[in-house]
Amino acid sequence: MSSILDRLDNEGRKTLYPEIPAIAVGMGTCGVGSGADVVYEAFTALKKKQKDAFMLRSVGCFGCCSEEPLVLLYNPGKPMVLLHKVGEADCAPIVKALLDGTYYREKAFCKISKWDHHLSLHEYGEDYPELPEWNDIPFFHPQVKLVLRDAGIIDPTNIAEYVAVGGYRALEKALFTMNRESVLGEVKSSKLRGRG
C-alpha cells in the first residue's frame, strides 16, 4: 500500500503545487449557483488560447458562499490569492495578471501564505503585504476548520490530491506498522465514539 500512496502523493503534489501558475475555481453548489460554471468555461477557453501556460482545476467550496464565485490563484513561491465575486468578464484580466506573476487586484479578497492540512503543512511563500491572510477576514477569523479543512483547496474528485495532503496515512500506519492491540488502544485513547 505504501508504494501506491507514495505514487498518488507525487501525482497529487503535481496538481496542488505545480511548476506553472494555476487557477482553481470553487465549483461547489454555491459557486455553481452563482455562476462558477460560466467562469470555469471562460478560463478553459483562455487556457486554450494561452497554449496551456497555466493549470486549471476545480475545487470544492472554500466556505464563504456569500462571496462566490471564488477563484484561487497560485504562482509558485508566492501566497495563493483568493478572489471573490468573479464574473466572466474578470477572467481575461485575471489570467493576464497571473501570468505576469501577480494577481487581479479588483477582485482580491485575501491571501493564503501557508495552509495547515492537519496532516501536513504547506508554505506557499511570503508576498503581497497589502492583502490580509484568509483567517484575518472577519468571516473566517473565529473559525477553526477541521472536517472541511481541505475544502476549496483540493479537488474533491481527485484522490491523489487527498493523499498529497496526508490522506490515508493513518490507515497505512494502522495496517502496516501497528498490531491489533495498538490499533484498539489508539481508538480507545482517542475517545472517539460512534453514533449508534
Side-chain angles (χ1 to χ4, degrees), residues 163-174:
V163 172
V165 298
Y168 295 114
R169 293 302 181 172
L171 175 62
E172 177 186 44
K173 180 180 174 185

Side-chain angles (χ1 to χ4, degrees), residues 21-167:
I23 296 172
V25 180
M27 296 290 284
T29 54
C30 54
V32 172
S34 297
D37 52 342
V38 174
V39 168
Y40 190 88
E41 287 174 19
F43 282 130
T44 300
L46 289 165
K47 185 174 182 274
K48 288 177 187 171
K49 286 182 183 176
Q50 294 289 338
K51 298 185 178 16
D52 296 326
F54 65 93
M55 181 182 288
L56 179 62
R57 304 168 44 238
S58 64
V59 294
C61 174
F62 192 70
C64 195
C65 303
S66 63
E67 300 299 321
E68 293 285 358
L70 291 169
V71 171
L72 198 57
L73 304 179
Y74 171 84
N75 249 319
K78 297 192 176 206
M80 288 196 298
V81 176
L82 188 63
L83 306 178
H84 64 141
K85 298 186 179 183
V86 174
E88 185 179 7
D90 301 311
C91 295
I94 288 170
V95 169
K96 182 183 182 326
L98 180 70
L99 295 178
D100 287 343
T102 186
Y103 62 92
Y104 184 50
R105 296 178 188 276
E106 298 293 320
K107 296 292 179 165
F109 188 43
C110 59
K111 66 181 176 181
I112 300 171
S113 298
K114 60 184 171 186
W115 193 260
D116 182 358
H117 293 280
H118 292 296
L119 300 171
S120 64
L121 175 69
H122 187 80
E123 297 191 29
Y124 293 97
E126 295 294 328
D127 204 349
Y128 314 136
E130 67 280 7
L131 287 178
E133 285 290 340
W134 75 276
N135 54 356
D136 289 332
I137 298 292
F139 176 79
F140 293 116
H141 185 69
Q143 298 181 34
V144 177
K145 288 180 172 255
L146 293 174
V147 174
L148 297 175
R149 182 63 177 183
D150 299 322
I153 303 289
I154 68 171
D155 177 349
T157 67
N158 186 331
I159 195 168
E161 289 187 7
Y162 177 65
V163 172
V165 298

Side-chain angles (χ1 to χ4, degrees), residues 192-196:
L192 288 173
R193 297 173 61 174
R195 298 180 66 194

